[in-house]
Amino acid sequence: KGLLEFKNVTFSYPQEDITLNKFNLKIEPNKKIAIVGKSGSGKSTLFNLITRIFDPNEGKILLDNFDIKDLNEESLRQNISIIRQEPFIFNRSIIDNFKLINKSITLEEIRKYAKMAYLDDYIMSLPNNYNTILGEGGVNLSGGQKQRLSIARTLAKKSKIILFDEATSALDNESQEFIKKAINELVKDHTVVIIAHRLSTIIDADIIHVVDKGKIVASGKHKELLKTSKIYKNLYEQESLNS
Ligand code: ADP
Ligand code: MG
């Protein structure tokens, strides 16, 4: 189903102070969920724990009520994908970029996912369409296009849980709009969590969690948080000033 739950999770990196302190959070599928907070507040650490790059010192992380420590690593890796600011693109054809993730995928399926990620029109405008070689010696995608490809590949991988880590922070407004639309599609049958640097991408989220010093200090929708959370209001005002 894709229900993720942090239960009293305490975590510190080796030889470091506590990063997460009795952290509790329930993340439901089919909703647009965002996590915001100052740099260093522990947001990316949440993803490091969900993907088991590190394990909590105390507490548990549950996926559909199973402790993720008891789940098969392969299935965990299959079902959870992270989309980062600089996605890795293979220096191969667009088709190969999908086949390396899903061997038996057909061109029809690839196009379906590329459409969902708002990338098909662009690919069809290239002389070699889906046979176009990417990267060195081929076509260089823009940052936004790379992310859309990364979203399409994640769809091809059929991961239930899709995590975005400040993925849109470096994008221009037009690319951001495309990514926003793609995310709104994904939300329909995935668990989607977005760590957002630019609040404009998550203003319409179903729920926004504000993290500070390793704890959730406020949760709600954009308009509520502007009234109830000073930290959120500050983050928002700082961003408005910067733009
Ligand atoms: P955010 O994503 O909110 O900016 P992080 O979760 O990356 O914050 O970091 C939280 C704290 O943990 C910071 O103090 C950071 O320096 C520290 N930290 C992050 N990753 C590591 C690591 N691999 N080793 C040691 N300390 C880390
Ligand atoms: Mg981070």
Side-chain angles (χ1 to χ4, degrees), residues 32-78:
K32 187 168 176 179
I33 295 166
I35 298 178
V36 302
K38 281 180 266 187
S39 179
S41 57
K43 304 181 297 297
S44 297
T45 300
L46 297 172
F47 287 2
N48 288 342
L49 296 179
I50 293 172
T51 49
R52 294 204 62 204
I53 295 170
F54 292 94
D55 285 325
N57 304 112
E58 281 169 47
K60 280 181 190 166
I61 299 168
L62 305 176
L63 175 54
D64 294 338
N65 295 317
F66 292 99
D67 190 330
I68 57 172
K69 279 188 177 171
D70 297 331
L71 296 176
N72 168 308
E73 264 189 58
E74 204 175 312
S75 117
L76 202 62
R77 205 162 302 142
Q78 163 66 38

Side-chain angles (χ1 to χ4, degrees), residues 11 13-14 16-20 37-46 48 54 165-166 195 211:
F11 174 74
Y13 288 100
E16 297 284 335
D17 292 339
I18 279 190
T19 295
L20 298 176
K38 281 180 266 187
S39 179
S41 57
K43 304 181 297 297
S44 297
T45 300
L46 297 172
N48 288 342
F54 292 94
D165 194 351
E166 305 198 300
I195 293 177
V211 178

Side-chain angles (χ1 to χ4, degrees), residues 32 115-118 151 155 178-190 192:
K32 187 168 176 179
K115 276 183 188 152
M116 285 176 74
Y118 292 89
I151 290 174
L155 288 166
F178 275 126
I179 303 277
K180 203 166 161 178
K181 281 193 195 166
I183 290 175
N184 292 346
E185 283 295 314
L186 294 181
V187 165
K188 291 176 190 164
D189 57 5
H190 293 84
V192 176

Side-chain angles (χ1 to χ4, degrees), residues 73-81 157-160:
E73 264 189 58
E74 204 175 312
S75 117
L76 202 62
R77 205 162 302 142
Q78 163 66 38
N79 280 294
I80 301 175
S81 291
K157 194 177 147 195
K158 297 191 163 77
S159 295
K160 184 68 186 175

